[in-house]
Amino acid sequence: MTRLNPELHMNPLESNPANELLLIAIGNDARQDDGLGWAFGQAMEADEDFRGTVVYRYQLQVEDALLIADYGTVLFVDACRGELPMGFEFTPLKADANFGFTTHQLSPATVLALSKQLYGAKPQAFLLKIAGTAWALERGLSKAGARNLASALKEAEALQGAKE
Amino acid sequence: MPNQKTTKITIDPVTRVEGHGRVTIHLDEQGEVSEARFHIVEFRGFERFIQGHPYWEVPVLVQRLCGICPVSHHLAAAKAIDQLHGLMPGDLSPTAIKLRRLLHYGQVFQSHALHFFYLASPDLLLRGDTPEAERNIVGVVMANKDLAKRGILMRKFGQEIIKAIAGKRIHGVAAVPGGNYKTFTPEERRFFLDGKAIPSVDTMIEWTQETLQMLRQYHETNRAWLDNFADYPSGHLGLVGAQGELELYDGQLRAIDASGQRTLNDVPAQDYRKYFGETVEPWTYLKFPYLKHLGRADGWNRVGPLARLNVCSHIGTPLAEQERQHFFGFSGHSPVNRTLYYHWARLIEMLHCAEVARQLLNDPEILSDDLIREGQRQEEGVGVVEAPRGTLMHHYRADEKGKVTWCNLIVSTTHNNEPMNRAVREVARRELSHQKEITAPMLNQVEVAIRAYDPCLSCATHAIGDMPLRIELFSHDGQLMGQRTKNSSLYSNPLGV
């Protein structure tokens, strides 16, 4: 059933102890759909079939380059603004050093680049973007955000089923 | 002054939650820069969001304000909530106070490490002619991998302190009304002292000293640039301790003017509203705090590491005090009004934080389980701490049921709002007068000025995908002559905007 990107031939949920999966959920659940990444991480943690480690971040930071160096596979999950055909998008991630002018946050691609440069780490990395529509200071996902989260989780469930 | 046409600047509401930076520069008929403004178009609304919540939830909720310094917001709120609970800062148990201090100094240490090694270092270590694409931390990594690794470990040390006291880095609960939630165990203390799992606190002190030595040498060889870049007179504000010493967790408010004369003389932090007014401008969402008796035009102050070193009379730890004396000896001025000296001041504070952490980690009282005190409910509470970026004020009122009815926050970056605008203006006058286009090096000079203040523009939300800095150059008749944007897309294929 997989609806993976055709260019993607790897399943990040096919982790094993020698290739342990780290799921980095990024967001802020006090900002409506900005909490999509955390909600995905919490749902995965609650799934007894999930094998991996979940960490939560408001923003990625430089020390995350050290963290991901210990894992074989890393899945970054974050909300994004804009429409996506399936409500989410799942892609392999390439290292890319891209820094802002003063912001304290790093992109997943930059963390990957730092980890490679500093520690020689080359984990398989993926990015799951879940489309959100509301970003106000409120708790709870928008209807569209919740729908997109459900779609992403359904895909994750299918991936987990595929590995068994 | 910008003419009628150029003052009609609109802020795109789409960018409101994004928190990007925008600089507008206006030239007069002679081509001189007549005005330059740094617009912060972030809109938080947190003060209304918090209303209706039980006051005891506030220290946890406010952590959502900022992904960079949630601990500072947590502790400022906790100090205010203690007062709603009937307890002044000194009424808490000695253990609770020491744990909170350790948490706070660990937070400042890690935040300063992030800024120095990963945000400021490209400005300092890479030469001005370094290609724009390489002027970032990866450029620094390529130039000095050991420095970059050390920066990560220093930040990790502070993060581990936060984790040990608050339980975890995100969503942790350290402070509760009247004290602290959990005890600090001997195993946790050993973790920071023995150097087995992570470099020890002694190593943190040693590494900070070495970094300071490197920066001192840098100042000696780059003095002209560092002394003259965005040097302008200003007031300075910060907390000080009972003896006038540098104080980050709890103290009295002191302010001085550009010549060092006191403009606020060690007043209780709880009385801040007697002394501070706030105003808004139509071109930015950020407020402008000022000292009432000096007025909006003259009452603004810089805050943060440079301001704190300027207002304190000394530092209470020996190694940092030695560095403070060298800092003022080298500059030849007190107070120091030079923007790029923020970086040096930040490192001196890092050393102080590490020294304080070592003292607290070796204090047996920190392991006690005497954590909570009870008081009698009050209607109002004010909490003020020195966050990494400067003076942070939280003020709450709650009704008889304990629900928050009113809230006012003055965050560090708002104090630095006017100073950042002044810094941008100074740089713009030097770099952009008589120019018809904005080049990458010009953009970078403006960035360097803003970055010195370490403004936190990315508070609370990030998902949108862009955090650009846009500079627009206007002619005397309001025509847009040129613009340049530096994007920092979070994803290589940003969606939407």
Side-chain angles (χ1 to χ4, degrees):
Chain A
M1 59 77 31
T2 182
R3 292 187 296 271
L4 287 175
N5 182 326
E7 295 176 5
L8 178 63
H9 301 295
M10 294 168 285
N11 181 346
L13 301 180
E14 275 179 350
S15 63
N16 57 56
N19 181 26
E20 195 178 343
L21 167 67
L22 174 68
L23 191 160
I24 302 183
I26 311 162
N28 182 348
D29 64 0
R31 285 277 196 176
Q32 292 186 294
D33 289 348
D34 200 12
L36 280 166
W38 287 6
F40 184 90
Q42 286 158 358
M44 293 303 290
E45 272 195 300
D47 184 342
E48 58 185 22
D49 291 331
F50 176 71
R51 298 285 179 270
T53 303
V54 181
V55 297
Y56 297 88
R57 296 285 185 269
Y58 288 110
Q59 297 157 335
L60 294 173
Q61 300 289 339
V62 289
E63 66 272 18
D64 291 319
L66 178 59
L67 173 70
I68 69 170
D70 291 336
Y71 289 85
T73 305
V74 182
L75 173 60
F76 297 93
V77 185
D78 199 354
C80 75
R81 189 159 70 175
E83 292 185 8
L84 293 168
M86 294 191 299
F88 67 92
E89 187 176 86
F90 183 63
T91 53
L93 185 69
K94 290 181 180 173
D96 178 20
N98 179 10
F99 271 72
F101 80 100
T102 188
T103 181
H104 301 82
Q105 62 192 335
L106 303 186
S107 73
T110 304
V111 170
L112 202 57
L114 267 182
S115 192
K116 183 179 175 184
Q117 294 286 355
L118 285 173
Y119 306 109
K122 295 177 183 173
Q124 288 188 347
F126 303 87
L127 174 63
L128 172 59
K129 293 182 283 194
I130 307 173
T133 59
W135 314 96
L137 263 167
E138 285 180 34
R139 285 186 173 280
L141 301 173
S142 70
K143 284 184 181 175
R147 196 167 53 242
N148 294 338
L149 172 65
S151 300
L153 286 168
K154 194 174 173 185
E155 176 78 354
E157 191 180 348
L159 287 173
Q160 294 208 103
K163 78 180 181 182
E164 289 166 359
Chain B
M1 288 293 291
N3 65 17
Q4 184 73 18
K5 193 169 183 178
T6 58
T7 56
K8 290 182 180 175
I9 293 167
T10 56
I11 298 171
D12 179 357
V14 173
T15 64
R16 292 168 106 194
V17 294
E18 187 176 331
H20 75 211
R22 179 179 179 222
V23 174
T24 55
I25 296 159
H26 305 265
L27 304 180
D28 63 18
E29 291 185 20
Q30 285 71 47
E32 297 280 349
V33 170
S34 61
E35 184 60 80
R37 287 172 173 165
F38 177 42
H39 309 254
I40 294 180
V41 289
E42 177 183 6
F43 184 74
R44 281 211 192 88
F46 196 87
E47 287 143 323
R48 295 186 70 178
F49 169 77
I50 203 77
Q51 289 177 18
H53 286 272
Y55 74 82
W56 50 88
E57 289 184 358
V58 170
V60 174
L61 288 174
V62 295
Q63 294 182 78
R64 267 74 165 179
L65 267 170
C66 179
I68 300 302
C69 47
V71 171
S72 300
H73 286 294
H74 177 67
L75 288 175
K79 287 175 68 179
I81 293 328
D82 288 339
Q83 288 161 44
L84 289 171
H85 209 60
L87 297 161
M88 296 302 285
D91 296 335
L92 269 59
S93 75
T95 300
I97 293 170
K98 286 174 182 175
L99 283 173
R100 287 189 184 187
R101 289 181 74 85
L102 180 58
L103 176 68
H104 190 50
Y105 282 73
Q107 145 82 358
V108 175
F109 183 83
Q110 61 86 19
S111 178
H112 281 2
L114 174 71
H115 185 269
F116 183 78
F117 288 99
Y118 285 88
L119 294 173
S121 60
D123 293 340
L124 300 176
L125 301 179
L126 302 177
R127 305 303 306 177
D129 55 358
T130 302
E132 190 182 8
E134 296 171 24
R135 185 179 284 280
N136 57 46
I137 189 55
V138 176
V140 172
V141 168
M142 296 308 289
N144 195 335
K145 197 174 280 191
D146 288 339
L147 183 75
K149 281 185 178 177
R150 184 175 283 192
I152 283 184
L153 290 173
M154 292 171 86
R155 180 165 158 84
K156 184 176 170 64
F157 182 88
Q159 293 279 32
E160 291 292 342
I161 284 181
I162 294 168
K163 189 174 163 187
I165 296 175
K168 46 188 175 178
R169 279 174 49 186
I170 299 286
H171 284 167
V173 179
V176 293
N180 261 43
Y181 178 70
K182 74 178 271 292
T183 53
F184 193 65
T185 68
E187 293 74 26
E188 286 168 334
R189 178 167 73 166
R190 200 175 305 124
F191 179 82
F192 298 102
L193 294 176
D194 67 12
K196 290 179 179 171
I198 60 171
S200 71
V201 68
D202 291 327
T203 303
M204 293 300 112
I205 290 171
E206 185 185 319
W207 284 358
T208 310
Q209 285 182 293
E210 288 174 12
T211 311
L212 268 162
Q213 186 179 0
M214 183 187 76
L215 191 64
R216 281 199 304 268
Q217 289 168 354
Y218 183 84
H219 268 259
E220 284 166 9
T221 53
N222 296 274
R223 181 157 197 163
W225 178 57
L226 293 162
D227 282 6
N228 294 311
F229 185 91
D231 175 20
Y232 60 92
S234 77
H236 300 270
L237 168 70
L239 289 177
V240 294
Q243 309 304 318
E245 72 275 19
L246 176 67
E247 175 56 51
L248 303 180
Y249 174 68
D250 188 52
Q252 307 162 97
L253 287 165
R254 178 184 289 182
I256 58 173
D257 65 17
S259 65
Q261 296 299 309
R262 296 267 178 97
T263 53
L264 196 60
N265 198 8
D266 298 1
V267 302
Q270 285 74 20
D271 294 342
Y272 84 100
R273 286 202 106 200
K274 281 187 193 170
Y275 304 100
F276 286 90
E278 297 173 80
T279 188
V280 293
E281 298 287 352
W283 45 272
T284 179
Y285 285 121
L286 214 58
K287 296 183 287 190
F288 288 82
Y290 61 93
L291 285 170
K292 285 179 184 174
H293 69 282
L294 295 177
R296 163 73 177 88
D298 301 316
W300 54 277
N301 294 283
R302 289 193 236 205
V303 297
L306 180 64
R308 290 192 286 250
L309 252 58
N310 278 329
V311 300
C312 77
S313 57
H314 64 285
I315 298 179
T317 53
L319 299 175
E321 170 59 15
Q322 198 177 323
E323 293 290 341
R324 188 193 71 87
Q325 290 179 17
H326 185 83
F327 174 86
F328 285 107
F330 180 89
S331 73
H333 294 274
S334 181
V336 173
N337 288 305
R338 297 162 177 163
T339 295
L340 289 182
Y341 277 60
Y342 260 97
H343 301 305
W344 191 350
R346 196 169 279 116
L347 279 182
I348 294 172
E349 285 197 338
M350 273 186 73
L351 182 57
H352 173 59
C353 288
E355 286 186 284
V356 171
R358 180 164 65 182
Q359 287 172 359
L360 290 167
L361 286 165
N362 284 293
D363 186 334
E365 205 164 27
I366 206 162
L367 301 177
S368 162
D369 59 3
D370 178 18
L371 296 176
I372 304 283
R373 293 281 192 271
E374 294 295 333
Q376 194 159 8
R377 273 273 287 118
Q378 304 293 317
E379 293 178 352
E380 194 164 0
V382 175
V384 179
V385 299
E386 283 296 328
R389 289 152 200 83
T391 313
L392 172 64
M393 300 163 165
H394 279 227
H395 186 180
Y396 303 94
R397 293 189 190 122
D399 64 18
E400 67 281 359
K401 292 178 181 171
K403 290 192 173 177
V404 175
T405 56
W406 181 86
C407 164
N408 186 46
L409 308 179
I410 304 180
V411 303
S412 317
T413 297
T414 61
H415 285 292
N416 273 334
N417 195 3
E418 181 68 33
M420 283 190 291
N421 272 278
R422 299 280 173 141
V424 166
R425 205 171 304 158
E426 289 297 314
V427 172
R429 282 184 177 142
R430 198 186 64 202
E431 298 289 331
L432 290 167
S433 288
H434 308 292
Q435 303 296 327
K436 287 189 166 46
E437 61 175 328
I438 305 169
T439 64
M442 291 176 193
L443 175 66
N444 188 58
Q445 293 294 298
V446 174
E447 290 177 35
V448 170
I450 297 169
R451 256 195 300 271
Y453 293 87
D454 193 18
C456 196
L457 308 182
S458 56
C459 286
T461 189
H462 70 284
I464 291 68
D466 282 310
M467 182 69 70
L469 175 66
R470 186 165 78 242
I471 297 187
E472 296 168 346
L473 186 64
F474 291 92
S475 65
H476 71 280
D477 57 357
Q479 297 299 312
L480 181 63
M481 298 170 63
Q483 60 181 325
R484 195 172 185 96
T485 301
K486 181 168 186 176
N487 281 309
S488 65
S489 303
L490 278 182
Y491 306 117
S492 51
N493 295 303
L495 298 160
V497 293

